[in-house]
Amino acid sequence: MRYIVTLRDPHETYHSLYCFFSGYLFEPGSVSMEDFLPLWLIGGPGGCDYFTHLLSWWARRDEADTLLATYRWAVTSKRAMIRRMADFLGIAVDEAIVGQVEALTARDFMYAHKDKFDDAMIKAAMAELLGLHDLESSKVGAHGSDAREVPPAIAEQIDALWAERVAPVTGHADFASLASEVDARA
């Protein structure tokens, strides 16, 4: 196995998941961003929350089977990330292939084909079982997530959790500091 993992700012992650769930798992406007925090803290399958996920991959950052990058670096340095992934996987790529992958992973392209990036299986089950037919389950929005959209009170709670759980393990007081170290490895 080989693992390619991007780590993302927790505030951006919070905003992204809120936007994804709004109109999918709850009606838009029915859950405030402040009321969303308990759901975000539950995490994904098996209760793997943001901090557990980040720390699990941080611990593997020096393993030969793991390529760790920050989401922001991967997005802003896409051609370099494509080459890095190809090298990691032992795939020879030329500039034409890099350009093709870059084009197929552009937000505009992905948004135009967002049905290819949705939770079609869950969406179909919810339509059949619950009669919910107008769900938006695409993981690709027209615009990226913005950490500044997270209410200050929520950002403070996320920062407190970082200080409690992540800083003692990584030595990084915030995501920007951790990202600097990860990005410097690129």
Side-chain angles (χ1 to χ4, degrees), residues 108-129:
D108 290 344
F109 174 86
M110 293 172 66
Y111 188 70
H113 301 89
K114 65 183 182 174
D115 61 313
K116 304 295 183 200
F117 304 96
D118 68 9
D119 275 343
M121 181 180 72
I122 300 296
K123 192 175 177 178
M126 290 177 81
E128 181 181 329
L129 297 172

Side-chain angles (χ1 to χ4, degrees), residues 14-171:
Y14 187 87
H15 185 250
S16 176
L17 193 62
Y18 176 81
C19 290
F20 173 62
F21 280 0
S22 181
Y24 179 42
L25 294 183
F26 53 82
E27 291 183 42
S30 66
V31 176
S32 70
M33 204 174 293
E34 291 84 358
D35 291 337
F36 183 69
L37 185 63
L39 186 58
W40 186 74
L41 290 172
I42 290 171
C48 183
D49 64 42
Y50 170 89
F51 302 103
T52 301
H53 173 80
L54 182 137
L55 290 171
S56 72
W57 290 108
W58 176 258
R60 297 191 50 79
R61 70 192 178 282
D62 295 323
E63 299 295 327
D65 65 355
T66 302
L67 173 60
L68 198 62
T70 64
Y71 176 81
R72 185 65 40 218
W73 185 88
V75 168
T76 59
S77 307
K78 191 178 286 189
R79 292 179 78 82
M81 184 65 186
I82 294 164
R83 286 187 204 93
R84 217 173 142 200
M85 288 187 300
D87 288 346
F88 177 70
L89 297 171
I91 299 170
V93 295
D94 59 20
E95 285 307 303
I97 292 173
V98 170
Q100 183 179 18
V101 172
E102 181 181 32
L104 294 173
T105 58
R107 180 174 298 278
D108 290 344
F109 174 86
M110 293 172 66
Y111 188 70
H113 301 89
K114 65 183 182 174
D115 61 313
K116 304 295 183 200
F117 304 96
D118 68 9
D119 275 343
M121 181 180 72
I122 300 296
K123 192 175 177 178
M126 290 177 81
E128 181 181 329
L129 297 172
L130 303 175
L132 301 173
H133 297 280
D134 295 325
L135 300 176
E136 174 58 62
S137 67
S138 177
K139 292 179 176 45
V140 181
H143 306 286
S145 295
D146 188 344
R148 295 171 298 186
E149 294 293 322
V150 176
I154 298 301
E156 289 172 11
Q157 290 179 65
I158 291 171
D159 293 344
L161 287 165
W162 182 282
E164 176 186 316
R165 295 183 59 190
V166 180
V169 175
T170 65

